[in-house]
Amino acid sequence: MHCALRAMHGLLRAGQERVIPTERARALVLGLIDHPDDDVAAIACVLLALQIRAGDTTSLPLLRDRALAAWPEHPTELVPAAGLAPAPGMAEYSWGSDRASRLVLLAMHGGERELLLRVAEPLPDGAVPAAVRRHAHFTLLAASIAAPYVDAATARQLHSWYMPHVQAWDLETKALTTWHCGVLAVLTRIHPLLPAELQQTYGRLREWPLLRDHVDQHLGGLQRTP
């Protein structure tokens, strides 16, 4: 374990210094995401997610295969760390859950509609409220990771899921929850992919200072398509 942690510490330093990872480094991280020690596996997932976001997508096909192989029978078994979807930096705080959940979240970096819709499959009738909340948070987290990489049709799908939440939020709200932040993350990341008529629905994000300040300060602001 100590050797693995030292190796990953070196990779973290290399990332901070913008050093391009070698093939050996990629292989090391891919091997460690299945480490039996959850702390080691979680750090490896952080590193792999950072590599993917930096443009190194070579591991995505393998991650997709691993995620499908590990997919649990019931969607309620997919849980983010602490059962929440932390934001901003949602993904980095969500690798502390179980192996299957981590693999599914890593695979979300491919932006595949099929995988996202599978995550979001409705729960069976009679699911207890705690399971419903956990499933909703995991789906939101998966959507926030996938959002920058989805196609236009999937962006419209995500808009239909999450914009109604924004329209229903109480204007007297004084502080944002992790749910608020996650919804804003998804909608901000898909905004450039949407047609003009859907971009026009973002009025509340621009007019409500609480939302506008969070989007501008933590999510980079709304971007318009050329």
Side-chain angles (χ1 to χ4, degrees):
M1 175 178 173
H2 294 298
C3 292
L5 289 174
R6 283 198 300 271
M8 287 190 293
H9 178 69
L11 290 174
L12 281 170
R13 290 186 59 186
Q16 292 171 349
E17 296 168 4
R18 301 185 182 279
V19 176
I20 298 174
T22 63
E23 291 294 336
R24 182 178 180 184
R26 293 187 189 96
L28 171 65
V29 173
L30 274 171
L32 290 175
I33 64 174
D34 283 329
H35 196 281
D37 186 285
D38 273 343
D39 289 338
V40 173
I43 296 171
C45 287
V46 172
L47 287 167
L48 188 54
L50 291 173
Q51 287 181 13
I52 294 170
R53 291 177 201 173
D56 182 1
T57 59
T58 54
S59 61
L60 282 176
L62 176 60
L63 290 173
R64 184 184 190 279
D65 291 344
R66 287 192 184 184
L68 289 173
W71 211 286
E73 182 178 356
H74 300 291
T76 54
E77 296 177 44
L78 293 171
V79 292
L84 297 174
M90 295 170 71
E92 283 75 6
Y93 293 101
S94 302
W95 304 118
S97 57
D98 61 280
R99 175 180 179 271
S101 299
R102 287 195 294 258
L103 288 171
V104 171
L105 291 179
L106 283 170
M108 288 298 118
H109 286 86
E112 285 193 36
R113 180 180 178 84
E114 176 187 353
L115 293 184
L116 185 57
L117 292 179
R118 185 170 180 180
V119 166
E121 288 179 355
L123 297 182
D125 293 339
V128 298
V132 173
R133 288 194 297 271
R134 192 164 57 242
H135 178 253
H137 276 293
F138 189 88
T139 301
L140 178 62
L141 178 56
S144 75
I145 294 173
Y149 314 106
V150 298
D151 58 24
T154 307
R156 289 193 293 271
Q157 180 78 65
L158 292 174
H159 179 276
S160 73
W161 289 352
Y162 294 113
M163 186 56 79
H165 289 275
V166 176
Q167 303 301 338
W169 287 344
D170 184 356
L171 291 173
E172 298 301 316
T173 300
K174 302 300 181 185
L176 298 179
T177 65
T178 52
W179 177 264
H180 291 122
C181 295
V183 169
L184 293 174
V186 172
L187 293 174
T188 302
R189 291 164 184 169
I190 64 172
H191 180 254
L193 304 174
L194 295 171
E197 64 268 20
L198 291 183
Q199 291 189 2
Q200 293 172 8
T201 65
Y202 280 67
R204 183 169 286 201
L205 274 70
R206 295 187 176 95
E207 297 162 4
W208 187 358
L210 183 65
L211 305 188
R212 185 183 64 239
D213 291 349
H214 178 82
V215 169
D216 288 346
Q217 294 174 18
H218 297 285
L219 299 171
L222 294 176
Q223 300 176 7
R224 294 183 181 274
T225 53

